[in-house]
């Protein structure tokens, strides 16, 4: 089975400037038409321009995953361009409260669940007919008796699901619920030719995390390298994964190479947690 995404349409909900941008560029490199969707339209235009400049195909569409009408409008926009979707990646993100539960307002937790969990459900529900059509295109039996890949949904969770540090409690609640959602959707949608998996990244070393490390270095003294080394000491590989190292497992799950993989959670964290 190939990891190519040639002739596939992949929708990325929550396509931000870091992970989302890298995913869009890498998916387009592998032949996919990418639909990048997020609330900030100006960021989307920049991603689309980069994809097209590299010879790829991309479409931008604004969406607010907390609004059912907005998610429906996104699906209608995509349906104007294609009658089948082969991959849906849900990576909408908001900065969590970073407070112990005793100090966290219930509304903050509700907003996190709405965006992370219900937003993923809204997107999957809306795109199910198009995803089913994408899976149906791969229903033929090959000469070796194997089947082509069904369509694929990948939801971005977090390695926070593996620990209970108190400042991450509200975030853990939302991301753990997202994993449970993925399990249930995998069971429900499997017979319709749709696979559902989650990816749980640890730290992602890109511009955002680097800026945070700069803040910590200024606050506590030392250098960014000191903060990096202190953080990486917890990892088996003694380093942090890059954006591309998070993106590549997602591309695998979107591809025919993962045609029998569904209902799984893949942790990508350079060995901080063993799952």
């Amino acid at each position: 089975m190939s990891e190519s995404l040639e002739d596939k349409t992949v929708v990325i909900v929550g396509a931000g400037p870091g992970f989302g941008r890298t995913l869009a560029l890498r998916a387009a490199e592998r032949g996919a038409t990418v639909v990048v969707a997020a609330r900030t339209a100006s960021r989307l235009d920049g991603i689309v321009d980069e994809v097209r400049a590299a010879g790829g195909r991309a479409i931008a569409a604004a969406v607010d995953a907390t609004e059912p009408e907005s998610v429906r409008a996104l699906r209608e926009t995509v349906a104007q361009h294609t009658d089948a979707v082969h991959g849906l990646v849900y990576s909408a993100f908001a900065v969590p409260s970073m407070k112990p539960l005793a100090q966290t307002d219930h509304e903050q937790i509700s907003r996190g669940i709405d965006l992370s969990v219900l937003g993923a459900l809204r997107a999957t529900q809306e795109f199910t007919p198009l995803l089913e059509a994408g899976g149906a295109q791969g229903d033929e039996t090959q000469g070796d008796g194997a089947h082509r890949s069904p369509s694929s949904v990948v939801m971005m969770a977090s390695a926070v699901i593996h620990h209970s540090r108190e400042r991450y409690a509200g975030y853990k609640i939302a991301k753990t619920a997202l994993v449970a959602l993925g399990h249930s959707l995998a069971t429900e949608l499997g017979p319709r030719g749709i696979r559902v998996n989650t990816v749980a990244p640890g730290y992602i070393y890109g511009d955002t995390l680097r800026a945070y490390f700069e803040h910590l270095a200024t606050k506590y003294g030392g250098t960014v390298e000191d903060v990096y080394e202190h953080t990486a000491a917890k990892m088996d590989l003694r380093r942090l994964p890059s954006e591309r190292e998070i993106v590549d497992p997602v591309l695998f799950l979107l591809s025919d190479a993962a045609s029998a993989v569904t209902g799984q959670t893949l942790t990508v964290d350079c060995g901080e947690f063993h799952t």
Side-chain angles (χ1 to χ4, degrees):
M1 287 290 187
S2 171
E3 290 193 27
S4 168
L5 298 176
E6 195 69 38
D7 300 323
K8 295 182 182 292
T9 297
V10 175
V11 179
I12 306 169
V13 178
F19 167 82
R21 169 187 169 276
T22 303
L23 176 60
L25 289 167
R26 294 279 289 146
E29 285 175 8
R30 296 194 182 190
T33 297
V34 293
V35 180
V36 290
R39 282 185 285 194
T40 307
S42 58
R43 288 179 179 172
L44 299 178
D45 292 339
I47 294 172
V48 167
D49 289 344
E50 282 193 78
V51 171
R52 291 176 178 171
R57 301 180 300 276
I59 301 164
V63 67
D64 182 346
T66 65
E67 295 292 339
E69 296 81 4
S70 182
V71 179
R72 186 169 302 115
L74 171 63
R75 187 258 302 158
E76 291 170 350
T77 296
V78 174
Q80 292 173 6
H81 296 272
T82 181
D83 58 1
V85 168
H86 308 87
L88 170 66
V89 179
Y90 188 84
S91 62
F93 172 80
V95 177
S97 68
M98 302 298 289
K99 295 179 181 179
L101 288 177
Q103 300 171 26
T104 301
D105 184 273
H106 290 187
E107 183 61 28
Q108 289 179 303
I109 296 175
S110 296
R111 286 197 298 270
I113 292 173
D114 191 14
L115 180 63
S116 292
V117 186
L118 299 182
L121 179 58
R122 290 182 192 104
T124 306
Q125 287 173 324
E126 281 293 338
F127 278 95
T128 289
L130 289 174
L131 288 162
E132 189 170 14
Q137 291 178 351
D139 245 355
E140 303 170 23
T141 302
Q142 306 299 291
D144 59 1
H147 289 272
R148 293 179 186 170
S149 177
S151 56
S152 174
V153 177
V154 181
M155 300 174 176
M156 299 306 297
S158 167
V160 71
I161 63 176
H162 301 306
H163 68 72
S164 296
R165 297 165 193 159
E166 65 176 18
R167 294 177 64 242
Y168 293 85
Y171 193 48
K172 178 178 180 176
I173 289 171
K175 290 302 185 181
T176 302
L178 179 64
V179 171
L181 173 67
H183 292 168
S184 296
L185 286 174
T187 299
E188 182 174 331
L189 298 180
R192 301 177 68 173
I194 303 170
R195 299 182 291 110
V196 183
N197 294 284
T198 55
V199 172
Y203 292 95
I204 305 176
Y205 199 60
D207 291 342
T208 300
L209 186 59
R210 193 176 298 110
Y212 178 61
F213 282 4
E214 289 173 356
H215 164 73
L216 292 179
T218 300
K219 183 176 181 179
Y220 296 108
T223 66
V224 172
E225 289 72 22
D226 293 333
V227 177
Y228 182 100
E229 290 178 7
H230 174 76
T231 306
K234 305 171 187 175
M235 320 300 169
D236 290 343
L237 299 180
R238 299 300 189 269
R239 64 178 182 83
L240 308 182
S242 66
E243 289 174 354
R244 179 163 177 167
E245 288 176 310
I246 305 299
V247 162
D248 282 350
V250 174
L251 293 173
F252 164 72
L253 291 171
L254 290 172
S255 75
D256 291 353
S259 59
V261 181
T262 193
Q264 305 304 309
T265 299
L266 176 59
T267 300
V268 187
D269 64 358
C270 284
E272 182 177 10
F273 301 102
H274 295 177
T275 62

